Amino acid sequence: MPSNKNELAARIAVTKPTDAVRGLFFRVVFDLVEKQGGAGALRQLRTGTLARDISDLRTYPASDYLTLLYSAADILEEKMGHQDAVFNACGRACVRRFSSGPGQVVFGILGKGDPQRLFAQTRVAFSTVVTYGQRDHRPAGPKACIIAYRGDMQPPAYHVGIFEGALEALGFNGTVTANTLGIDSVDYEITWE
């Protein structure tokens, strides 16, 4: 079943012209689509505004990133399943990019092996890669926290993938639950062992 285009339209409708995402995240999704679907899948994806050259450090419209995620879901659904499974895989792929190679140093400094410490830096980390939204962390016990996202129109399954990937990168098992309050407001409950 193709991705939910009504949901995509609703998410795009809440974006502002100044809402942007670093090119690195576009490139991570391009790499995932090529790895999972082959060169033909990547060619199918790279059309319209997604055909242009993307630089890691430049920013591009958040609406284009949404289009990318939903298009990737259409292309990869046969191999990976429902759109949320693809969104989750995209989020995990982004974390893998930051938690390996040169990004491992930054990831290690922010987290120092402690999920609470890492998740407390969510506001700072995201402010360097997107131009929209607010993210607030609050502990919910020694091995739990809630991260409240407001003004962030990306699909919840994408952020669940980011948080699950972060826990795995730190060597922890855990669960992430998205409590959706609105199209751009979600509370993520994160627990770990």
Side-chain angles (χ1 to χ4, degrees):
M1 178 167 64
S3 63
N4 186 331
K5 300 306 184 287
N6 290 332
E7 180 181 296
L8 171 60
R11 292 188 183 287
I12 288 174
V14 299
T15 64
K16 296 183 277 269
T18 56
D19 293 343
V21 177
R22 294 251 181 238
L24 169 68
F25 293 96
F26 284 79
R27 292 171 52 91
V28 167
V29 175
F30 294 153
D31 290 348
L32 177 68
V33 168
E34 185 173 33
K35 181 180 176 185
Q36 294 294 322
L42 183 59
R43 279 192 301 277
Q44 184 181 349
L45 183 67
R46 299 288 309 260
T47 61
T49 60
L50 299 175
R52 69 176 172 248
D53 286 335
I54 303 283
S55 170
D56 283 358
L57 297 179
R58 290 193 59 215
T59 57
Y60 301 90
S63 57
D64 289 352
Y65 193 67
L66 285 164
T67 299
L68 171 61
L69 291 175
Y70 283 78
S71 296
D74 290 340
I75 291 168
L76 295 177
E77 78 169 324
E78 190 172 306
K79 180 159 184 118
M80 298 181 79
H82 184 267
Q83 70 181 21
D84 285 347
V86 177
F87 299 155
N88 185 283
C90 290
R92 286 172 181 263
C94 289
V95 170
R96 278 193 299 277
R97 184 60 130 329
F98 274 105
S99 64
S100 62
Q104 187 174 18
V105 173
V106 174
F107 200 84
I109 290 170
L110 289 177
K112 292 198 179 199
D114 178 3
Q116 196 77 264
R117 183 180 172 110
L118 178 69
F119 294 135
Q121 300 301 318
T122 300
R123 179 186 316 181
V124 173
F126 273 85
S127 71
T128 66
V129 295
V130 300
T131 63
Y132 55 85
Q134 296 176 338
R135 291 145 197 94
D136 292 309
H137 164 271
R138 67 181 184 273
K143 295 185 177 185
C145 67
I146 297 172
I147 301 178
Y149 274 43
R150 301 296 181 266
D152 188 314
M153 73 298 292
Q154 301 301 333
Y158 173 76
H159 290 297
V160 167
I162 288 174
F163 297 135
E164 288 174 344
L167 286 171
E168 289 171 8
L170 290 175
F172 288 84
N173 292 318
T175 60
V176 181
T177 304
N179 297 310
T180 303
L181 307 173
I183 195 80
D184 64 349
S185 297
V186 180
D187 287 345
Y188 295 94
E189 295 180 23
I190 307 170
T191 60
W192 58 90
E193 307 174 357

